[in-house]
Amino acid sequence: MNGAGGSRTDLQAMRRFDPKRLWALVFKESLQAMRDPSTLLIAFALPVVLLLLFSYAVSLDVRAVRIGVVQESESASAQSLAAAFAGTRYLDVTFAHDRREVADQVVWLCCKNREA
């Protein structure tokens, strides 16, 4: 016997999978679900609504993100990087040579699009 008062075989029996106990639990929970219709709504209708919502209504594609690119260097690598930014369909690039200039342009575009 161990210090808790039970034998080692009792502890092993409790840890073993018992299909009868599983069936009893499934049966009990099924009866409870039938008594409460809101449980059925949450279990079956809500996942269908979420599936339809995420498959048709929600788009996680990012398009036309406005960014400002300040080109302080005229090197070939800087020009190549700026061209790569401008060449993608995901970014709407505004070029400038000074930070203040691009900040004014990007913020103005942002506010202009919200008013429309």
Side-chain angles (χ1 to χ4, degrees):
M1 287 187 116
N2 60 13
S7 69
R8 186 172 175 94
T9 57
D10 290 340
L11 186 60
Q12 288 174 345
M14 286 177 41
R15 288 185 180 170
R16 191 177 57 216
F17 177 74
D18 187 6
K20 286 182 186 179
R21 290 185 69 182
L22 177 65
W23 176 248
L25 180 67
V26 168
F27 183 72
K28 177 185 77 97
E29 291 299 324
S30 299
L31 287 178
Q32 183 62 32
M34 294 301 170
R35 287 186 201 125
D36 186 15
S38 66
T39 304
L40 292 175
L41 183 69
I42 291 171
F44 296 109
L46 188 60
V48 170
V49 168
L50 289 175
L51 183 66
L52 291 173
L53 181 71
F54 283 114
S55 62
Y56 293 109
V58 176
S59 174
L60 300 176
D61 291 339
V62 178
R63 293 192 185 118
V65 176
R66 287 183 307 274
I67 66 167
V69 176
V70 178
Q71 291 180 299
E72 294 176 349
S73 172
E74 297 296 329
S75 67
S77 61
Q79 295 292 332
S80 173
L81 182 62
F85 282 149
T88 181
R89 66 176 183 220
Y90 301 111
L91 301 175
D92 182 17
V93 182
T94 302
F95 294 101
H97 294 288
D98 186 33
R99 283 185 296 148
R100 291 178 295 265
E101 180 184 335
V102 76
D104 291 340
Q105 289 177 358
V106 172
V107 171
W108 183 76
L109 287 173
C110 173
C111 296
K112 181 181 174 187
N113 288 341
R114 285 188 184 168
E115 291 173 0

